[in-house]
Amino acid sequence: MNKVKTVNIDLGERGYEVRIGPGLLSRAGEFLPWVGGAQVCVVTDQAVAPLYLDRVRRALCGRQVVAKILPPGESTKTLEVLESVFDWLLATPCDRDVTLVALGGGVVGDLAGFAAACYQRGVAFIQAPTTLLAQVDSSVGGKTGVNHRRGKNMIGAFHQPLRVLADTDTLATLDRRQFVSGLAEVIKYGVIADAEFFTWLERNIGAVMALDAEALAFTVERSCINKAKIVEQDEREGGARALLNLGHTFAHAIETGTRYGEWLHGEAVATGISMAAHLAAQLGRISAADHARIARLLSAAGLPVGPFTGLPAADMLQLMKVDKKVRDGRVRLILPAGIGAADLVTDYPAPALARTVSHFTADGVAVPA
């Protein structure tokens, strides 16, 4: 199956296509029509560059291509590394017609996108995601940014790419733990917006995990369709887009509390979704059966669902207060309302949240190895 699928992100003049299929990174026609100037700066990392940088260079034939290769991992997503990217752009030097290409996972996409949003007050960029998590989530929708030691993704900007090239061939070379991590964001879409997709995942998670080409392509396409619908309603997270953060308030606290590196983002999100489902079940927002279905699917995908060690409940609750959804000191949470629906909730009882956090931070399963 070699057919390329296209998902349109309809944002008027900022709209673009998400292209999904094998071999996209090798095709000049997927890049060159969207490169306005002579210069292309590829931002990638040390894990991805040996695998895909040369083929992207060849696809960008006729352009002046330079590359910035960063260390891999969440610890790279900092203001200090961002400044090093600006230093490189200025030293090259790159003008306002430069196009940045973010070649890598979510860390590279977020950081390179933020650099594109800021450099000379905004330049063009293309997302070329190489991880499942980036293909189904972080590369789509224009969120860019870096972490701060006090909170994840607290410094950033909305800056839409010219297009997204999700080359599904890259998933075959993805580290297994990274691949599994991406499934958390896939499952999220089923929980918040797409009960039919959730049921499909329950039946086909084995094929997805076995890297079946047809199942993978459908998974990426359906996830992007779900994200597109929400982003088109609410580009800058004034309302409906907050639903995409199911589990993320819990997850960001885990990542911040463990200093960005022990947990992969998707692993923390999976545990965060489990915590959101646990709280929703406490409050009678979802049935025990739906709670069990969510936990069962996350476990079937090989994702951690808690409890976990290493972060006291009091610390977790405090870290949750450093979140973009906090208003007037109140932590607002995305909670499921059954399979395929979710809400932004502010009126939950504080003791119920404390019970959930205490349950999941009890001595139990260790931080993922």
Side-chain angles (χ1 to χ4, degrees):
M1 185 195 68
N2 293 315
K3 185 178 179 182
V4 175
K5 300 175 182 293
T6 300
V7 176
N8 291 303
I9 311 297
D10 186 2
L11 295 172
E13 63 181 15
R14 294 182 307 285
Y16 52 95
E17 292 180 344
V18 180
R19 301 274 286 166
I20 303 160
L24 297 181
L25 295 183
S26 300
R27 301 180 190 174
E30 297 289 352
F31 286 97
L32 293 180
W34 285 267
V35 176
Q39 295 178 309
V40 179
C41 293
V42 180
V43 181
T44 186
D45 69 30
Q46 292 163 354
V48 173
L51 297 171
Y52 302 114
L53 180 56
D54 282 347
R55 72 179 65 181
V56 170
R57 284 184 187 276
R58 288 192 295 270
L60 290 163
C61 55
R63 297 298 194 273
Q64 302 167 17
V65 182
V66 294
K68 176 70 171 177
I69 302 175
L70 304 172
E74 193 75 24
S75 58
T76 293
K77 213 169 101 173
T78 66
L79 285 168
E80 290 76 18
V81 175
L82 179 67
E83 185 174 11
S84 77
V85 173
F86 290 142
D87 288 343
W88 168 67
L89 290 169
L90 289 164
T92 298
C94 293
D95 58 33
R96 293 199 69 185
D97 291 329
V98 67
T99 301
L100 268 61
V101 174
L103 176 65
V107 169
V108 166
D110 284 1
L111 190 143
F114 191 27
C118 298
Y119 185 67
Q120 299 200 32
R121 297 189 175 90
V123 297
F125 85 113
I126 293 170
Q127 286 273 19
T130 60
T131 67
L132 180 63
L133 189 148
Q135 290 186 4
V136 302
D137 188 68
S138 61
S139 67
V140 180
K143 275 190 176 181
T144 72
V146 295
N147 300 329
H148 189 276
R149 61 186 175 82
R150 294 184 181 274
K152 184 178 169 71
N153 292 336
M154 294 302 289
I155 302 168
F158 288 94
H159 190 56
Q160 300 295 345
L162 295 177
R163 64 178 4 210
V164 178
L165 301 177
D167 188 333
T168 51
D169 283 347
T170 64
L171 301 180
T173 59
L174 189 60
D175 172 85
R176 187 64 177 176
R177 185 181 170 196
Q178 289 278 356
F179 178 82
V180 168
S181 173
L183 291 172
E185 299 286 4
V186 171
I187 292 168
K188 173 192 75 178
Y189 292 116
V191 176
I192 66 171
D194 194 342
E196 183 179 311
F197 184 39
F198 189 95
T199 300
W200 183 90
L201 287 168
E202 289 178 307
R203 295 171 178 167
N204 294 278
I205 193 65
V208 174
M209 295 183 72
L211 304 183
D212 176 83
E214 187 171 350
L216 273 180
F218 177 78
T219 296
V220 176
E221 180 188 26
R222 188 69 169 248
S223 297
C224 290
I225 288 170
N226 277 299
K227 185 155 192 183
K229 289 177 181 177
I230 293 175
V231 170
E232 287 167 1
Q233 293 176 52
D234 178 19
E235 182 182 358
R236 293 178 174 264
E237 204 172 287
R241 186 164 179 169
L243 299 181
L244 293 168
N245 288 315
L246 174 71
H248 284 58
T249 300
F250 298 105
H252 291 170
I254 294 170
E255 290 179 274
T256 304
T258 55
R259 296 292 181 264
Y260 306 122
E262 293 181 31
W263 292 69
L264 296 180
H265 177 62
E267 293 169 342
V269 167
T271 300
I273 292 172
S274 296
M275 296 175 81
H278 182 277
L279 179 56
Q282 271 200 78
L283 302 178
R285 292 177 52 83
I286 62 172
S287 66
D290 283 347
H291 182 198
R293 285 179 71 191
I294 292 169
R296 191 160 52 241
L297 181 55
L298 290 166
S299 294
L303 288 159
V305 295
F308 59 92
T309 60
L311 188 60
D315 291 357
M316 177 97 180
L317 288 165
Q318 188 63 35
L319 287 165
M320 287 174 66
K321 294 178 181 178
V322 185
D323 183 87
K324 296 186 295 297
K325 294 181 296 302
V326 169
R327 295 293 184 274
D328 300 322
R330 180 73 167 172
V331 179
R332 304 186 301 166
L333 296 171
I334 309 303
L335 298 180
I339 303 297
D343 300 303
L344 181 62
V345 178
T346 60
D347 60 351
Y348 57 85
L353 174 60
R355 282 193 295 273
T356 289
V357 171
S358 294
H359 173 78
F360 279 84
T361 54
D363 290 343
V365 181
V367 171

